[in-house]
Amino acid sequence: MNNKQKIISTCVFLFHSFLPMYAFKTTLSGYLKSDYFVDSRQSFGSSDGYNLFYPLMRNDDFVGVDIHRKGQSQIMALASRVKLTVDASGKLKSRTKGVFEVDINGRNNISHLFRIRHAFFETEYDQFMFLAGHTWHPFYQSSHAPTLISNNSGQPFETYSRHPQMRLTFSSGNTSLIGALLSQVDFCSDGPLGNDNIYLFNSMIPELHVQLQQVFSGQWIAFGVDFKKINPRIVTDKNFSVREYVHSVMAGIMGDFTYKKCNLKTKLMYAQNASEMVLMGGYAASSVDQSTDYRTYTPLSSISWWAQLSYKINDAVEPALFVGYSYNLGASDPVILSINNTKTVYGFGTNIKQLARVSPRIRFTLFEVLECAGELEYTHAWHGTLQTSGKVTENVKGSVGVVRMLASTRYCF
């Protein structure tokens, strides 16, 4: 046996020796989905209107007819997704899992935009679990989130966003404590350059999150606090180098309660500058130095709440009802509405006083892999004018509602 054969033989021996230490299990899952929806009027959303957020404010033409009263409809097949999960178990009572998921997310009539939804690994040992990669924000607990038919997944009432992060979870009995450092890449803060992750990068500090979860008698409840610091500009419009920061906090309580065939999920959030999560609010300039254009900022706050009640008639039929509400709380410091006719207010829904939604639905599961569902979604917005207090004074023409009727089919694998 020559040296080359000896090396190959040795490698094969080592491979077979260490292979039993790890058991790799690869799973491919996902679904193919097609939706048909009809809207009663023009609305604002994302993904070519697939994700409906709120109806557009009344806009009268020359003779007083509302331009935005025109309805719209669409057939969409752009929410299909594929997930690869690789699970490895070792001898040291540890478990390591990697997840990679992509989907098709159409935009501007382009139907081939592949998007990375998740790309992370997590490893568990004893009472600790460490996660690193791109996945849900800790405020979005997928197993305790609303299970809507609509592709908006409860936005703009639910904290629906994914972030690069490092997360450590300590569990003891029915109690879990989570600590996380987060960045931005797909869901980004608003600012002078539009939605961009540069504001958080330039702050030099990742987003910080702490959450406590408790399970009792099969029920689940959690409380979390989040701190974020962003840097809107590093140079003023008068070409002075500056350090401008916006500090903001979020706090929320979530619950998931089951009684026999009934399930209730709910979440209450207080949020400052959480537009990357599609929650009402953002931030605005609060003061300005006339000589340098240096600015200070104040966060715009909101409170949001949603609840979902579902009833599982059997394994095939499940009706449910979703309700959501958001309210603009304003700012703690005065807001400057404009400086030299340039934008000074950034965020989501900053000219909306409040939002509300009611959404009944029914889901049918056939042959365990085929799902047919129908949903009626009514969203009402109270548009208005932003004041120097950060609050919104409702406009006479600002109270509008939109109805979306949605039919959906989904094949799961």
Side-chain angles (χ1 to χ4, degrees), residues 41 55-58 378-383 397-402:
R41 67 178 286 116
L56 293 178
M57 183 177 175
R58 182 182 176 94
Y378 176 74
T379 306
H380 199 99
W382 287 263
H383 297 267
K397 300 179 181 180
S399 179
V400 290
V402 59

Side-chain angles (χ1 to χ4, degrees), residues 210-226:
V210 177
Q211 185 176 136
L212 179 65
Q213 299 181 355
Q214 181 68 43
V215 177
F216 56 94
S217 302
Q219 316 305 317
W220 179 88
I221 192 169
F223 174 77
V225 178
D226 199 276

Side-chain angles (χ1 to χ4, degrees), residues 3 5 29 57 77 90 109 112 143 184 208 223 232 242 317 327 356 360 378:
N3 291 335
Q5 291 175 325
S29 60
M57 183 177 175
N109 297 318
H112 57 273
S143 57
Q184 297 179 355
L208 309 175
F223 174 77
V242 291
V317 183
Y327 186 80
Y378 176 74

Side-chain angles (χ1 to χ4, degrees), residues 249-251 269-274 279-281 300-304:
V249 297
M250 289 186 290
M269 287 290 301
Y270 168 78
Q272 295 180 330
N273 187 26
L279 294 181
M280 275 206 313
L300 303 176
S301 305
S302 69
I303 188 169
S304 62

